[in-house]
Amino acid sequence: PYRCLVPQKVDNLLVAGRCLSADFPGQSATRLIMCCNAMGEAAGHATVLSLKHDLPPRKVDRVELQHRLLEAGCNLGQAERTIPGVTG
């Protein structure tokens, strides 16, 4: 989820890779190169939306971000599951 890239106590910062917020099993799965690449791409697109709408990163609209990522060809797991507000 996008919220794992947004630190709770620091504004105007996004994190990706090993420093994201996750429990132990989740953290172990996110260290893979594909996951790190996807998180970096999501953080980059979120930064663009944050600047475009003059919002802090934590206020970026998740659905708009996910639509943007899908348009860029990112795999959000849409083939395996429904993404609320995006696929259905």
Side-chain angles (χ1 to χ4, degrees), residues 6-18:
V6 183
Q8 286 183 350
K9 298 180 181 179
V10 180
D11 290 328
N12 296 319
L13 178 68
L14 293 170
V15 297
R18 299 178 93 184

Side-chain angles (χ1 to χ4, degrees), residues 14-73:
L14 293 170
V15 297
R18 299 178 93 184
C19 49
L20 85 151
S21 174
D23 61 11
F24 184 74
Q27 184 75 29
S28 65
T30 60
R31 296 186 328 203
L32 301 171
I33 299 239
M34 288 184 344
C35 293
C36 289
N37 182 46
M39 285 186 278
E41 190 162 1
H45 283 281
T47 299
V48 168
L49 291 174
S50 172
L51 294 170
K52 177 183 175 183
H53 297 300
D54 195 27
L55 295 169
R58 77 177 66 256
K59 299 287 186 186
V60 168
D61 180 49
R62 172 197 58 88
V63 173
E64 183 179 7
L65 174 60
Q66 288 174 323
H67 278 291
R68 185 179 178 105
L69 290 168
L70 290 171
E71 289 169 6

